[in-house]
Amino acid sequence: ILSAAMMFFAMNANAQFGVGVGYNLLNNTTKAAGESDDDSLNGFFIEGTYDFNFLEAKWGSLGLQPGVRYTFGGETDTEEIAGIKTKTSLSEHYLDIPVNVKYSYEFIQSKLKAYAFAGPVFSMGLASTAAASVEDNKEKINNYKDSEYGRFDLKLGIGAGVTLAEKFNVKFGYNIGMLNRYTGEQLSKEHKYSTHTGVFFVGVGYNF
């Protein structure tokens, strides 16, 4: 018990809480009968992270970085055919829980540190809305209730970044969607339907 307590306090002594914001690009890939279609949603994220190192050596440091992230993505398309204006939109809101293993190497003491990270991202959809309007006729759909679209996802996150003066972070990465978000019945083994979501992101942050 004493050893575990000492380890806990040692971790906390090297722990840092951070916040970050940035740009993300959500890519929904739908496959059906051997054909695929991609929808890209531009958006942003806001996150909080908690870093602590459990191993430090001359070759660098190894630690964990759990966090909480709000992710938004959306798109709007407007067309005019034969004088009739149509508008469609799609918006996605997520609560993500990344749990990353993080490797860091300090090039210049207290000034420049590079790092790489990887780990699972547990994702829950907060809202997914599709809307369409033709002239004055409008319709809005809740995808989680009105279509066969799953709310939960598990992603594999990978990325890298740099820390300046132990305070300022710049990072980029990609979250690979592992689960099929389509929840309906499959027509056949040869013609399976699937929807996967991947997220590219780049952002800045600050460590307290």
Side-chain angles (χ1 to χ4, degrees), residues 149-171:
Y149 186 53
R151 184 184 295 271
F152 298 99
D153 198 4
L154 174 64
K155 298 181 176 71
L156 174 62
I158 55 174
V162 294
T163 299
L164 305 174
E166 298 184 349
K167 294 293 184 181
F168 302 97
N169 294 309
V170 179
K171 68 177 181 179

Side-chain angles (χ1 to χ4, degrees), residues 1 23 33 35 37 49-50 61 82 86 108 120 128 152 165 177 183-184 192:
I1 295 174
Y23 164 81
E35 297 184 358
D37 182 54
T49 58
Y50 187 78
S61 61
T86 63
I108 303 175
S128 177
F152 298 99
T183 59
K192 290 186 176 180

Side-chain angles (χ1 to χ4, degrees), residues 79-187:
E79 294 182 345
E80 184 173 343
I81 302 176
I84 300 176
K85 293 183 179 181
T86 63
K87 182 179 180 180
T88 59
S89 64
L90 175 64
S91 63
E92 302 265 13
H93 303 260
Y94 293 98
L95 178 65
D96 297 327
I97 308 293
V99 183
N100 290 314
V101 175
K102 183 177 177 181
Y103 167 76
S104 304
Y105 186 82
E106 196 169 49
F107 287 96
I108 303 175
Q109 187 173 6
S110 301
K111 291 185 179 181
L112 177 62
K113 181 185 294 184
Y115 60 87
F117 56 88
V121 180
F122 304 93
S123 182
M124 182 181 73
L126 301 176
S128 177
T129 304
S133 63
V134 179
E135 297 297 338
D136 295 330
N137 299 318
K138 298 181 180 180
E139 184 177 359
K140 185 178 290 187
I141 296 175
N142 182 337
N143 290 320
Y144 295 134
K145 292 183 178 181
D146 303 324
S147 64
E148 297 166 324
Y149 186 53
R151 184 184 295 271
F152 298 99
D153 198 4
L154 174 64
K155 298 181 176 71
L156 174 62
I158 55 174
V162 294
T163 299
L164 305 174
E166 298 184 349
K167 294 293 184 181
F168 302 97
N169 294 309
V170 179
K171 68 177 181 179
F172 66 93
Y174 190 78
N175 295 333
I176 305 168
M178 307 297 290
L179 300 184
N180 182 3
R181 305 285 298 281
Y182 175 69
T183 59
E185 295 183 1
Q186 300 289 353
L187 297 178

Side-chain angles (χ1 to χ4, degrees), residues 31-103:
K31 294 183 179 180
E35 297 184 358
S36 63
D37 182 54
D38 293 334
D39 284 328
S40 296
L41 310 179
N42 292 287
F44 65 91
F45 70 88
I46 303 172
E47 68 176 359
T49 58
Y50 187 78
D51 288 75
F52 58 88
N53 295 328
F54 54 78
L55 183 61
E56 292 191 9
K58 293 181 179 180
W59 45 260
S61 61
L62 196 64
L64 287 177
Q65 186 191 57
V68 178
R69 178 184 300 158
Y70 164 74
T71 300
F72 167 79
E75 68 169 349
T76 300
D77 292 325
T78 303
E79 294 182 345
E80 184 173 343
I81 302 176
I84 300 176
K85 293 183 179 181
T86 63
K87 182 179 180 180
T88 59
S89 64
L90 175 64
S91 63
E92 302 265 13
H93 303 260
Y94 293 98
L95 178 65
D96 297 327
I97 308 293
V99 183
N100 290 314
V101 175
K102 183 177 177 181
Y103 167 76

